[in-house]
Amino acid sequence: MKRFLVSLLCISSLLSVYAKESPPNILFIMSDDHAAHAISAYGSKLNKTPNIDRIAKDGALFKNCFVVNSICTPSRAAILTGKYSHKNGVPVFNRFDGSQWNVAKELQKAGYHTGMIGKWHLGSDPTGFDYWTVLPGQGKYHDPVFIEMGETKKFKGGYATDLIGDFSLQFLENRPKDKPFYLMCHHKAPHRPWEPDAKHQHMYDDVDFPEPATFNDDYSGRGSAAKEAEMRIDRDLTPNDLKQEPPPGLTPAQLKHWKYERYMHDYLACIASVDDNVGRVLDYLEKHDLAKNTIVIYTSDQGFYLGDHNWFDKRFMYEESLRMPFVIRYPGHIKPKSTNDKMILNVDFAPTFLEYAGLKTPPEVQGHSIVPLLEGKTPKDWRKSMYYRYYHYPADHKVQPHWGVRTDRYKLIYFNKIKEWELYDLQADPHELKSVYEDPKYAKIRAELTQEIERLRKELDDRDQFADIQK
Ligand code: CA
């Protein structure tokens, strides 16, 4: 009996380990369109991000964090709800129904002081937040307008990234000190049209960025969707994107390179501002003795093409836009300088925050808490495949709707409107240049993955709820 009681006590003390300690603060920093390969902790060949790297150095870096629908608004809805687009009602740029469950509401109910600052882009007003100030729609980089708790305010002379940093510091300063906080700090940058501030505008003037390995992909190794897409570096960047006139007399290849350089100079300068502002909030946490009990995350709403496959933008299930950067620190709980290659998804964020806060995740949430992974105890049944689905067509870039599955080695994609399949062997072809769907050598894996898609669609209850949505 005594032994039974002792073990019962052990189990209950283990179960309540997060509930017993004072609940951690959660600082969730997310930027817009920041590819992992433009972060030095991820091995960027282009830029340095010392402050984002600080989070990785003090905690964990996930190499395989994936978005379930690679576009701004749907990713935000998936993060808030822990659910795929077909369940949260936001497959494209449609209005988020703010009356539905979200993670901020749950944390607020449990006593968290909750805040949402920056880019929201969900059509409806934020719900579940004690304080919010958001950019209307995409917002502007310079002289932005913010909507603070329903009231429109203009910031002439201001720069969105710095203002989002300022407002985040004010939120931390003015918060009730007897409550844990949950802050979603959402930067607008580095979204198109990539407008840097004066401080960073010329920082890359003398730099010639290397072209990515797939810069001259002619799409001959795959189906028709890539050819149809309108997001090419050499053809589809507008004067508004480029902001300068090209020098005269360039060959087509030189002009393409010039456009790529213009794009990278501005995109990476916008990221430098984001990184500075990540540093400002990290410094604040340290100075105010908050670093130890605050979980800090840096991520982006999806990945992005940095000239890869001759593209800018995102949407496709190919690696560069599927992968999200995800670094997280929680001193004393997450091993510093650790890396993890398990597959995690943006729908996992909400359940993770809830577990750290000692709260239960409702059963209808589709993501899974990554806390066991962060403790170095990968569950035996952790996902070995992930399901993806993209809907937005034809606007803005004519990327055909598709769904697919990715495992650690393979990726099967089905473009459902044009009924085309692509299969990639990521080990043999990490740049995804040649679909092996028709290759008889891959017949067995093709059949297995086709089945796996069906299994995942069933598990996630994707019954084509939004199959015909057009935007
Ligand atoms: Ca985005």
Side-chain angles (χ1 to χ4, degrees):
M1 183 65 187
K2 201 174 156 196
R3 224 159 84 193
F4 172 73
L5 273 176
V6 169
S7 53
L8 201 68
L9 279 172
C10 284
I11 291 167
S12 69
S13 68
L14 269 177
L15 285 174
S16 60
V17 65
Y18 292 119
K20 257 189 178 175
E21 286 179 23
S22 61
N25 305 305
I26 303 168
L27 171 58
F28 178 77
I29 310 173
M30 181 163 79
S31 55
D32 193 343
D33 295 355
H34 187 177
H37 51 313
I39 292 178
S40 32
Y42 278 87
S44 170
K45 294 173 184 147
L46 304 166
N47 63 335
K48 297 262 183 272
T49 48
N51 291 298
I52 297 167
D53 293 6
R54 271 163 76 183
I55 305 171
K57 207 167 11 165
D58 294 341
L61 176 149
F62 281 78
K63 293 180 176 172
N64 292 312
C65 178
F66 299 126
V67 63
V68 300
N69 181 358
S70 182
I71 187 166
C72 307
T73 299
S75 177
R76 284 150 208 276
I79 287 167
L80 278 167
T81 61
K83 294 172 195 164
Y84 273 73
S85 308
H86 61 274
K87 288 289 180 185
N88 63 43
V90 186
V92 293
F93 287 105
N94 48 312
R95 188 177 176 275
F96 180 72
D97 172 8
S99 71
Q100 68 183 297
W101 182 92
N102 77 43
V103 65
K105 286 183 184 178
E106 197 73 20
L107 290 166
Q108 188 183 44
K109 210 167 67 186
Y112 271 76
H113 180 63
T114 56
M116 165 63 225
I117 292 167
K119 184 171 172 185
W120 174 249
H121 206 201
L122 283 163
S124 53
D125 283 348
T127 52
F129 296 96
D130 295 300
Y131 175 82
W132 54 271
T133 185
V134 300
L135 294 157
Q138 291 282 5
K140 283 167 41 185
Y141 278 101
H142 294 281
D143 304 321
V145 166
F146 280 80
I147 304 173
E148 184 189 34
M149 309 288 282
E151 196 185 328
T152 301
K153 295 189 172 174
K154 290 179 184 167
F155 292 87
K156 196 146 178 49
Y159 184 65
T161 308
D162 292 334
L163 288 167
I164 291 164
D166 293 346
F167 301 154
S168 298
L169 295 181
Q170 285 161 21
F171 172 86
L172 295 173
E173 191 65 27
N174 299 333
R175 76 193 199 281
K177 308 288 189 294
D178 58 342
K179 282 180 159 195
F181 67 81
Y182 174 62
L183 174 59
M184 301 186 92
C185 166
H186 290 188
H187 284 289
K188 169 194 167 48
H191 192 281
R192 196 183 187 190
W194 317 298
E195 292 175 7
D197 66 341
K199 185 180 162 196
H200 300 92
Q201 196 170 10
H202 298 292
M203 68 183 287
Y204 294 119
D205 279 1
D206 299 325
V207 180
D208 189 66
F209 293 104
E211 292 171 1
T214 57
F215 193 54
N216 293 311
D217 185 3
D218 62 1
Y219 318 120
S220 56
R222 64 188 89 226
S224 65
K227 293 181 195 82
E228 184 189 349
E230 294 180 351
M231 46 198 240
R232 295 189 195 175
I233 297 286
D234 54 356
R235 188 191 64 190
D236 301 320
L237 285 167
T238 66
N240 193 38
D241 296 326
L242 297 165
K243 304 172 200 83
Q244 288 177 20
E245 283 291 316
L250 299 181
T251 65
Q254 286 167 335
L255 183 60
K256 181 181 174 186
H257 182 80
W258 180 86
K259 289 181 178 182
Y260 165 73
E261 292 297 324
R262 279 299 312 128
Y263 164 37
M264 280 298 97
H265 276 70
D266 288 349
Y267 177 84
L268 296 168
C270 289
I271 288 170
S273 294
V274 171
D275 191 70
D276 283 358
N277 279 284
V278 169
R280 287 173 74 203
V281 288
L282 293 181
D283 290 346
Y284 181 95
L285 297 180
E286 270 151 38
K287 197 170 156 208
H288 294 81
D289 205 20
L290 288 165
K292 195 166 181 329
N293 199 35
T294 302
I295 297 166
V296 184
I297 293 104
Y298 181 85
T299 186
S300 166
D301 59 349
Q302 8 69 207
F304 215 64
Y305 297 101
L306 309 181
D308 313 280
H309 305 290
N310 187 18
W311 286 330
F312 57 96
D313 215 74
K314 54 253 182 182
R315 299 157 197 271
F316 278 110
M317 199 192 166
Y318 305 129
E319 292 293 270
E320 294 85 355
S321 57
L322 181 67
R323 177 168 291 107
M324 307 164 81
F326 189 87
V327 293
I328 179 168
R329 80 175 195 195
Y330 184 11
H333 294 261
I334 299 173
K335 201 173 147 205
K337 290 185 193 163
S338 51
T339 56
N340 195 304
D341 60 5
K342 294 287 170 292
M343 265 191 261
I344 66 166
L345 309 177
N346 58 342
V347 290
D348 296 336
F349 301 172
T352 302
F353 302 158
L354 294 178
E355 182 168 355
Y356 271 137
L359 301 170
K360 281 204 167 65
T361 296
E364 61 273 20
V365 168
Q366 296 177 308
H368 301 286
S369 165
I370 66 164
V371 172
L373 270 53
L374 291 164
E375 292 176 341
K377 292 174 255 172
T378 307
K380 277 206 175 70
D381 59 350
W382 190 256
R383 71 169 68 83
K384 303 224 169 12
S385 64
M386 62 83 60
Y387 178 67
Y388 178 87
R389 182 154 187 180
Y390 170 81
Y391 303 80
H392 195 224
Y393 182 86
D396 298 318
H397 295 277
K398 288 203 175 168
V399 172
Q400 279 289 340
H402 55 291
W403 65 69
V405 63
R406 188 198 189 278
T407 65
D408 62 344
R409 177 162 176 188
Y410 298 102
K411 189 185 291 176
L412 178 65
I413 308 175
Y414 179 56
F415 293 91
N416 50 302
K417 298 278 184 204
I418 51 174
K419 299 189 168 41
E420 286 184 15
W421 293 86
E422 293 179 8
L423 172 64
Y424 295 94
D425 179 343
L426 300 172
Q427 201 176 81
D429 177 26
H431 295 306
E432 299 168 294
L433 287 166
K434 187 166 173 32
S435 168
V436 291
Y437 188 77
E438 302 294 347
D439 186 335
K441 277 199 307 236
Y442 288 90
K444 189 167 168 275
I445 193 75
R446 187 175 106 177
E448 282 169 16
L449 290 173
T450 309
Q451 257 186 4
E452 181 62 3
I453 288 188
E454 284 318 305
R455 188 191 71 77
L456 287 166
R457 281 167 61 79
K458 213 168 164 182
E459 182 183 290
L460 296 162
D461 192 34
D462 184 358
R463 290 172 285 110
D464 293 335
Q465 288 96 323
F466 296 103
D468 296 318
I469 196 154
Q470 297 268 318
K471 281 266 171 170

